[in-house]
Amino acid sequence: MKRTIWWKTLALGALMTAQALTPAQAQEVVRLGNLKFAHYGAVSYIKEIAPKCGIKVEERVFAKGLDVMQGIIAGELDVGTTASEAAISGRASGAPIVVVAGFAKGGARLVSRADLKLKSVKDLKGKRVGVTRGGIQEVLLLAELQTAGLSASDQPGKDVQLIYLPFADLNQALIGKNIDAMMNSEPQSSQAINKGFGTEIIKPYDTPIGEPIRTMVMTEKFYKEKRPLAEKFMRCFVEATKTFIEQPALAEKYVRETVFKGQITKDDFDDAIGNSPYSYDITPEHIQITTDVMFKTGVGRMAKPPAAKEWVKTDLLDAAKKSVGVK
């Protein structure tokens, strides 16, 4: 008899606890992997408006896109943001992902040391150029060097010596004259120019890739098996991006104060977003061209490049844009 009463008491307590949950506690959770760049700001903002979308977003910030892919492979993330090359390399390596949106475009700049006054890609002959290994910036740099007829390697003996460094270390290497130029992301490249230790050579958008599009990926399991939650998240992404596009002052304040904790100026932000505007869209054609250029330049070292038409899925994005009223 006592055992029956104990079980009833336990069940009643569990029911009361469930009923006492706040709306925030009851919301479904999406695990998001993101990067700390100005043009990733709208994605970061999703977590701020997520409760209005009926979800909770737990954001983890990684150093680079390949780390996001590792988090997905380890089962720690549902959604990740990367440059396209990390998504492509991840898919080629067996990561169970699909591309569902693009959230920014551009975001790369070839910058010279200010004292060298380099004017063109051909001027890089005999120079040391810093870049982050495996990033879209490396893809664009190698494509530009090939177009200019210059060979490149991280070993001596080629026209251009590549110096591989993390994004965060490239500016300091340029200041210290450890490199002569760099292909960097935003806002780092804008900071180099605004602070006077770097000058722009080119924005590298004249390759077959054009302006590279940053990709949002979902795990196949999340995309297929948690469809209602994936739909809510995608609507929240479109709302966040729409807000940043329509309210640039809010976007600037959030990125400068919340994401970068006051480490970048208004000019840094404005120049960065001028070179990497927020967006929504992605196409299989863009991913396929990027894949082809990666294979040609050897970035990612893919034995079997993935076919974009098999893993670029924009149906959730299309529905979300229609729901929010975005064309």
Side-chain angles (χ1 to χ4, degrees):
M1 181 70 175
K2 289 182 179 181
R3 184 179 180 88
T4 302
I5 294 173
W6 180 80
W7 276 107
K8 287 183 177 179
T9 302
L10 182 64
L12 179 62
L15 177 61
M16 291 175 67
T17 299
Q19 290 175 337
L21 286 174
T22 66
Q25 290 173 315
Q27 287 162 352
E28 296 174 285
V29 175
V30 179
R31 301 169 301 167
L32 169 67
N34 200 15
L35 304 182
K36 186 181 177 181
F37 294 111
H39 44 302
Y40 286 64
V43 174
S44 185
Y45 190 66
I46 295 173
K47 67 179 181 290
E48 311 295 346
I49 63 171
K52 297 179 181 178
C53 304
I55 61 175
K56 179 180 179 181
V57 173
E58 295 179 348
E59 181 191 37
R60 288 179 57 190
V61 177
F62 293 81
K64 57 184 182 297
L66 293 176
D67 295 339
V68 174
M69 286 298 105
Q70 290 300 315
I72 285 176
I73 291 171
E76 299 169 355
L77 301 173
D78 303 306
V79 182
T81 56
T82 72
S84 54
E85 95 295 327
I88 293 165
S89 294
R91 178 74 181 192
S93 299
I97 57 171
V98 291
V99 172
V100 294
F103 60 89
K105 54 187 178 181
R109 203 184 313 236
L110 183 59
V111 177
S112 163
R113 271 171 36 198
D115 60 310
L116 293 179
K117 303 186 188 307
L118 305 179
K119 301 296 184 183
S120 70
V121 176
K122 290 185 178 181
D123 292 339
L124 295 176
K125 187 171 183 178
K127 299 296 189 289
R128 301 160 300 168
V129 181
V131 69
T132 300
R133 188 187 292 275
I136 191 64
Q137 288 77 15
E138 184 188 14
V139 180
L140 297 171
L141 174 61
L142 294 180
E144 291 286 357
L145 293 175
Q146 283 188 356
T147 300
L150 298 177
S151 60
S153 173
D154 59 348
Q155 300 299 316
K158 299 296 184 180
D159 294 327
V160 175
Q161 184 173 358
L162 302 177
I163 308 296
Y164 288 109
L165 294 167
F167 288 111
D169 294 341
L170 287 168
N171 278 11
Q172 195 58 45
L174 199 69
I175 293 173
K177 298 184 179 181
N178 299 312
I179 56 177
D180 303 307
M182 65 178 184
M183 185 74 86
N184 208 347
S185 187
E186 293 291 1
Q188 290 84 351
S189 59
S190 290
Q191 284 181 307
I193 295 167
N194 290 335
K195 290 183 178 180
F197 61 85
T199 57
E200 179 181 309
I201 300 176
I202 60 165
K203 295 181 180 72
Y205 307 146
D206 57 350
T207 75
I209 294 173
E211 289 185 283
I213 297 175
R214 301 302 188 270
T215 55
M216 176 176 285
V217 300
M218 288 182 177
T219 66
E220 290 183 328
K221 182 176 182 179
F222 187 75
Y223 172 79
K224 294 178 180 178
E225 299 180 17
K226 295 189 175 182
R227 195 73 176 183
L229 182 55
E231 290 170 350
K232 289 179 183 178
F233 178 84
M234 190 56 65
R235 283 195 295 272
C236 214
F237 158 68
V238 172
E239 287 278 11
T241 302
K242 182 174 183 286
T243 298
F244 267 39
I245 291 172
E246 294 181 350
Q247 301 181 45
L250 182 153
E252 177 205 328
K253 180 178 174 65
Y254 183 79
V255 171
R256 288 182 58 209
E257 297 181 5
T258 303
V259 177
F260 281 93
K261 311 298 183 186
Q263 295 172 337
I264 66 173
T265 67
K266 182 181 188 304
D267 286 343
D268 293 337
F269 175 82
D270 290 343
D271 291 346
I273 297 306
N275 187 34
S276 55
Y278 301 113
S279 61
Y280 311 92
D281 298 317
I282 194 79
T283 65
E285 291 77 17
H286 180 81
I287 294 299
Q288 189 60 57
I289 290 171
T290 306
T291 303
D292 295 342
V293 173
M294 286 177 63
F295 188 67
K296 182 179 179 181
T297 57
V299 177
R301 297 177 176 81
M302 298 177 289
K304 186 179 180 182
K309 63 182 180 180
E310 297 177 358
W311 66 292
V312 177
K313 308 290 184 183
T314 60
D315 53 318
L316 287 176
L317 175 64
D318 294 340
K321 288 174 65 179
K322 184 176 180 180
S323 173
V324 177
V326 173
K327 294 182 179 180

